[in-house]
Amino acid sequence: MESKYTPSLFEAKISDFWEKKGLFTAQVDPKKEPFCIILPPPNANGSMHLGHAMFTYEDIMIRYQKMMGKQTFWLLGLDHAGFETQYVFEKHLKKQGKSRFDYTREELFQTIWDFVMDNKDTIKKQLRRLGYALDWKKEKFTMDPSIVGIVLQTFKDLFDKGLVYRANRLIHYCTSCGTSFSDLEVQYKERIDPLYYIKYGPFTLATVRPETKFGDTALAVNPDDIRYKEWVGQELEIDGLIGPFKIRVIADKAVDPEFGTGVVKVTPAHDFTDYEMAQRHNLPLKQVIGFDGKLNEAAGKYKGLRIFSAREQVVRDMTKKGLIVKIQSDYTHRVGTCYRCGRVLEPLPKEQWFIKVKPLVDDIKKIINKRSLVVYPKRFEKQLVRILDNFIDWNISRQVVWGIRIPAYECQSKKKWFVSLEKPKKCHICGNCDFKQDEDTFDTWFSSSQWPFATLMTESKDIYNYFYPTSVMETGHDILRAWVARMLMIGFFATKQLPFQMIFLHGMVRDGKGQKMSKSKGNVIDPLLLIETYGADALRSALIFGTKEGGDVALSEEKVKGMRNFANKIWNIGRFIEMSSQTNDQSSKHIKNGKKEITENLEKEYESLRREYMINMKKYRFSQALGDVYEFIWHRFADYYLEELKEELKNGNISVLETLKKVYLGNIKMLHPFMPFITEAIGHVFYGEETSLLQIGFK
RNA sequence: GGCCGAUUAGCUCAAUUGGUUAGAGCGCUGCAUUCACAUUGCAGAAGUUGGGGGUUCAAGUCCCUCAUCGGCCACCA
């Protein structure tokens, strides 16, 4: 053994060793208990980042369970990440002076496909460097034909059961990215905008969006507001910027009498609250803003103006007519923005596919209330229940090319929609054969929500039956809502079982000062650089050491360095024991143990450590388990016991050596789930090149 | 506005159901180098556990209150 442990000399070799031995290969063994984790599929549109290194928790669980004798399966997969990928790709195109409009739908799809295939391989290679015990041969991709088939089938099943419907509703739309979003994807940002007090017939009312006034279909006041009681129900004739128009006054509880003047204009096509009011009062929708972000013909002479210039123009014209009473310039409010490009999202009416979530939620809530789903850390269980209670119908239509195209066909003569895995041959209502497939693709989360069962279903029936439902869903708590909750809903719908028995949520990786990592702050740490410099084991254990499960991790280079030092420490302990073994060859005898008390204490301490370790691992207290071994091996075993027993070793006391070896190797095994490379390298020295600690287990 | 979390050494964080003298990593100070390891060892400095109140034989831990920070949700023109 060298005097230093050099990770780069071992890591690649050991990865190959594991795979050659097929240690990660999923198998069905009825005599063994299965343990299965589905990797949260990374987006196939970029490189590995530190967040992916948090999958170390999954690796720890898999390796630990394997060493406990279970039949494990950790399934690798990648996500096409529909809109996200298209966005990244379009930015890419822009650099080359191109845009998506230079391509046909098919060409664009194919080009992104090639781009994604390259990325897929890159990120896979990068993940492999972390030493993950994934079954590398069974890679899945959300766009695999077999997966797509299942996704389409689920959609059809939902449709047939009346849980999917098409409706013209107000949706969040990014006029720059050209697609709609679900409510979960909206990012609200605080903004300061002018609040205009405008004259509106006999009233004055406050609005930040005077440009939408052409889409007003009512005026509303609070039913209890005595100031306006007499007006309710009346129809007014008002002289507007583009001519006179008639408008009705309604009373609705959504109006806050304290805000502004207590009167609001109702613009159902461009505001969510107004839309709801319109539903209650049967008001018509009048769209004045198009999907291009410009005003349309309903806005008369303002047609063609972008929203913000239209606003300026309208305000200017209204000022001229004396219709602006006052402007409050420091009005602070929150607006929905596009989480990718950051621009303000427009509420726009659009025909889209929606999933009815209430019945799906009700089903799984019963099970969760029976406590048959474990959530760790526990506090997230409450959050999950709240999330389920607040789900609203899920808009799954996206106006992007990169994704799974919705299998819905419209009969061109009857304008009726059919959901079918293939293009229908004939409309059974009119007999016509002219169908047009919906241009839209699914929200990426619709395919991700099926990931645990869809991936396993594409394996053999035996594999599916053996490993499904999966054991643990381990992921970041930031996607509890967008992903985990939806997997529960759709997974239960499709398989009549919850897709996993347990949810383990990890926190976010932050920089050494606890700050969020971001490109603009310049504090982003590249995991590959850390691996190259300090080794994968050091990075992995730095993410776990001294943290609390579910909490954020502050990761500094110094911390990784500290763990690298630890790796070197255990390496040198091994080196010392190995050297002592060679000195104490066959000629050594079991001589009288002059340090009997010390070796006995050592064994006692070790046994108690082992017990604690087993309890901690079972209870998912990984950080504690690692911390205890760290403390013991360095500050008890090396600093104290080894120093005390050194003399005895030199005297050729082979029983002391045996005790030391036993305790040391016991610790190496306990460390293996956390630091797989170095422990395996040490294992090779003591157990031979052909043996893996994963096979030896904790025995 | 609602919910949740946090506040512990210079920095980043632990402390498993309340139980010895509150710990670690990094940093800092001093000493040690023909020793398995300087990616080391030994020794050390460093904390009124955010403030205040309460329960208890016993509180970092439980309760109340105040303050500050963070996250999620709702989202009023």
Side-chain angles (χ1 to χ4, degrees):
Chain A
M1 288 171 90
E2 301 294 319
S3 72
K4 274 182 194 167
Y5 172 68
T6 311
S8 56
L9 294 179
F10 294 93
E11 292 183 352
K13 240 194 312 190
I14 289 174
S15 287
D16 291 344
F17 165 76
W18 287 326
E19 282 158 52
K20 214 173 284 167
K21 287 198 81 106
L23 286 166
F24 308 153
T25 310
Q27 276 164 0
V28 174
D29 184 348
K31 276 176 270 166
K32 284 186 183 172
E33 207 182 314
F35 184 86
C36 176
I37 298 180
I38 309 289
L39 179 82
N43 292 350
N45 60 21
S47 311
M48 181 169 80
H49 54 74
L50 266 179
H52 296 127
M54 288 300 260
F55 296 147
T56 295
Y57 277 110
E58 289 163 51
D59 196 46
I60 290 168
M61 291 186 230
I62 289 284
R63 287 176 186 272
Y64 162 73
Q65 295 291 354
K66 189 165 179 70
M67 291 174 80
M68 291 296 281
K70 290 194 186 164
Q71 184 61 243
T72 58
F73 183 18
W74 188 14
L75 191 142
L76 168 67
L78 292 147
D79 198 308
H80 70 285
F83 164 67
E84 291 255 353
T85 300
Q86 187 163 324
Y87 182 82
V88 170
F89 184 75
E90 280 185 40
K91 258 177 45 185
H92 212 69
L93 283 181
K94 208 171 177 185
K95 272 186 204 155
Q96 303 166 20
K98 292 184 201 158
S99 94
R100 75 183 128 136
F101 302 109
D102 298 334
Y103 300 85
T104 65
R105 183 187 180 113
E106 289 70 27
E107 283 167 357
L108 184 61
F109 186 94
Q110 190 56 46
T111 319
I112 301 179
W113 178 276
D114 297 339
F115 168 79
V116 162
M117 287 302 137
D118 285 348
N119 275 306
K120 232 168 67 139
D121 286 341
T122 309
I123 196 161
K124 238 172 65 189
K125 276 184 201 139
Q126 293 171 336
L127 287 173
R128 195 171 174 274
R129 297 204 54 188
L130 280 160
Y132 289 165
L134 286 154
D135 186 339
W136 295 96
K137 283 178 198 131
K138 291 195 182 60
E139 170 196 346
K140 305 289 171 190
F141 179 46
T142 43
M143 300 281 263
D144 287 344
S146 53
I147 300 276
V148 170
I150 291 169
V151 171
L152 300 185
Q153 186 63 51
T154 304
F155 179 71
K156 188 173 167 6
D157 291 344
L158 284 162
F159 181 80
D160 292 344
K161 294 232 161 70
L163 294 171
V164 159
Y165 62 93
R166 190 172 172 85
N168 187 36
R169 286 247 190 112
L170 226 51
I171 43 93
H172 300 274
Y173 194 91
C174 178
T175 56
S176 168
C177 294
T179 185
S180 64
F181 295 108
S182 77
D183 54 307
L184 302 195
E185 289 159 295
V186 179
Q187 198 163 63
Y188 286 92
K189 273 191 206 153
E190 200 150 272
R191 267 176 65 113
I192 298 171
D193 279 309
L195 180 64
Y196 304 95
Y197 282 75
I198 62 175
K199 273 191 186 164
Y200 214 107
F203 305 113
T204 297
L205 56 82
T207 181
V208 279
R209 303 201 60 185
E211 79 281 6
T212 63
K213 66 178 298 190
F214 312 112
D216 297 347
T217 55
L219 291 173
V221 296
N222 189 284
D224 299 327
D225 197 332
I226 47 166
R227 291 173 293 177
Y228 305 111
K229 245 189 167 114
E230 66 213 69
W231 293 100
V232 174
Q234 290 200 34
E235 193 172 62
L236 309 174
E237 169 118 9
I238 288 170
D239 189 24
L241 288 178
I242 55 171
F245 61 99
K246 284 182 181 169
I247 199 158
R248 196 153 57 94
V249 181
I250 60 165
D252 194 287
K253 57 186 186 311
V255 180
D256 178 4
E258 305 288 317
F259 187 91
T261 59
V263 186
V264 295
K265 62 194 210 56
V266 184
T267 323
H270 301 291
D271 182 279
F272 286 95
T273 314
D274 293 1
Y275 179 81
E276 281 165 25
M277 272 197 258
Q279 299 287 300
R280 288 192 285 268
H281 299 271
N282 263 323
L283 302 174
L285 247 64
K286 192 175 168 199
Q287 187 172 349
V288 291
I289 296 168
F291 294 101
D292 54 0
K294 292 175 182 168
L295 272 65
N296 64 18
E297 45 288 328
K301 62 180 175 184
Y302 300 97
K303 181 190 167 183
L305 287 178
R306 300 204 136 270
I307 292 158
F308 286 98
S309 28
R311 185 175 304 172
E312 281 169 15
Q313 193 59 46
V314 165
V315 169
R316 221 174 291 141
D317 293 349
M318 287 182 81
T319 309
K320 264 185 236 158
K321 283 190 123 184
L323 294 173
I324 303 280
V325 177
K326 67 168 178 180
I327 301 173
Q328 183 194 329
S329 56
D330 58 347
Y331 176 62
T332 309
H333 64 150
R334 287 163 69 83
V335 293
T337 61
C338 175
Y339 77 98
R340 276 280 53 162
C341 76
R343 292 182 177 85
V344 176
L345 292 175
E346 279 307 311
L348 289 170
K350 189 165 173 53
E351 267 214 5
Q352 307 259 273
W353 294 100
F354 292 87
I355 293 181
K356 220 183 262 181
V357 298
K358 275 278 170 320
L360 299 171
V361 166
D362 290 345
D363 283 348
I364 56 172
K365 269 196 70 184
K366 279 179 211 149
I367 300 177
I368 292 170
N369 287 338
K370 270 190 254 159
R371 312 214 145 263
S372 39
L373 177 72
V374 181
V375 183
Y376 187 91
K378 215 167 181 274
R379 67 190 143 100
F380 289 112
E381 184 174 328
K382 237 194 215 165
Q383 207 172 313
L384 179 64
V385 171
R386 262 170 53 104
I387 284 170
L388 293 174
D389 286 337
N390 291 323
F391 257 121
I392 62 169
D393 283 0
W394 177 8
N395 165 214
I396 52 169
S397 297
R398 295 292 177 275
Q399 292 71 50
V400 292
V401 163
W402 181 241
I404 300 174
R405 197 160 168 185
I406 299 176
Y409 300 84
E410 190 181 32
C411 165
Q412 294 299 284
S413 60
K414 287 284 172 197
K415 297 288 166 202
K416 191 175 159 40
W417 285 93
F418 293 85
V419 169
S420 160
L421 302 190
E422 280 162 20
K423 192 171 183 171
K425 294 213 164 61
K426 203 171 172 185
C427 172
H428 59 75
I429 299 169
C430 62
N432 212 306
C433 301
D434 188 11
F435 287 97
K436 202 177 154 223
Q437 185 174 3
D438 191 345
E439 294 284 330
D440 293 349
T441 51
F442 286 125
D443 176 3
T444 291
W445 295 107
F446 182 65
S447 46
S448 328
S449 70
Q450 307 178 44
W451 202 232
F453 71 84
T455 49
L456 288 174
M457 273 177 183
T458 60
E459 289 293 313
S460 70
K461 262 210 175 97
D462 287 346
I463 291 264
Y464 177 82
N465 289 333
Y466 185 63
F467 287 112
Y468 192 83
T470 63
S471 313
V472 176
M473 173 45 61
E474 194 286 332
T475 190
H477 63 67
D478 55 329
I479 48 175
L480 181 60
R481 206 162 121 98
W483 195 39
V484 181
R486 282 166 169 168
M487 275 192 288
L488 289 169
M489 289 186 336
I490 304 295
F492 186 81
F493 169 80
T495 67
K496 299 293 161 254
Q497 299 181 81
L498 293 188
F500 27 79
Q501 296 156 24
M502 194 255 180
I503 300 171
F504 181 104
L505 297 165
H506 65 242
M508 306 295 114
V509 188
R510 294 163 165 271
D511 76 0
K513 287 178 183 155
Q515 299 292 306
K516 213 175 212 167
M517 284 190 194
S518 72
K519 278 181 199 160
S520 55
K521 275 190 206 156
N523 59 352
V524 176
I525 306 175
D526 176 10
L528 292 164
L529 210 62
L530 290 177
I531 292 171
E532 270 154 39
T533 318
Y534 304 107
D537 291 327
L539 171 59
R540 292 166 55 112
S541 44
L543 288 170
I544 311 296
F545 190 82
T547 62
K548 198 186 173 84
E549 287 76 32
D552 291 347
V553 195
L555 190 82
S556 58
E557 186 162 341
E558 282 68 35
K559 193 174 179 191
V560 181
K561 205 188 232 171
M563 298 317 286
R564 187 271 318 256
N565 294 353
F566 176 56
N568 194 55
K569 186 73 189 179
I570 62 174
W571 178 258
N572 270 289
I573 298 169
R575 181 164 179 250
F576 176 66
I577 291 177
E578 213 269 325
M579 284 164 80
S580 304
S581 307
Q582 277 169 16
T583 327
N584 297 338
D585 54 16
Q586 294 83 345
S587 63
S588 293
K589 295 249 164 71
H590 282 271
I591 61 169
K592 190 166 182 288
N593 190 349
K595 298 273 186 176
K596 203 168 169 222
E597 208 179 318
I598 292 176
T599 47
E600 273 173 11
N601 283 342
L602 169 60
E603 295 216 50
K604 250 187 249 162
E605 241 182 276
Y606 166 64
E607 284 309 326
S608 116
L609 169 75
R610 226 179 104 91
R611 268 197 306 277
E612 285 298 312
Y613 175 87
M614 290 301 171
I615 293 168
N616 283 323
M617 292 300 280
K618 199 177 170 185
K619 292 192 170 174
Y620 306 98
R621 292 195 297 246
F622 303 121
S623 181
Q624 186 71 38
L626 173 63
D628 289 350
V629 176
Y630 178 101
E631 170 64 22
F632 175 83
I633 202 164
W634 198 327
H635 301 301
R636 297 299 298 154
F637 187 76
D639 289 351
Y640 174 71
Y641 287 108
L642 226 49
E643 294 302 328
E644 289 291 316
L645 297 168
K646 244 177 200 173
E647 271 307 302
E648 206 67 13
L649 277 183
K650 280 189 191 148
N651 297 341
N653 188 335
I654 203 160
S655 75
V656 163
L657 177 67
E658 274 163 11
T659 306
L660 286 174
K661 206 189 253 185
K662 185 187 98 182
V663 172
Y664 173 66
L665 291 173
N667 276 279
I668 291 301
K669 287 176 205 163
M670 289 193 278
L671 273 179
H672 182 260
F674 301 91
M675 308 180 95
F677 289 113
I678 186 167
T679 49
E680 193 74 298
I682 291 168
H684 282 173
V685 173
F686 288 91
Y687 297 111
E689 298 272 329
E690 282 311 308
T691 312
S692 168
L693 297 179
L694 289 167
Q695 297 168 296
I696 298 172
F698 288 119
K699 274 171 244 155

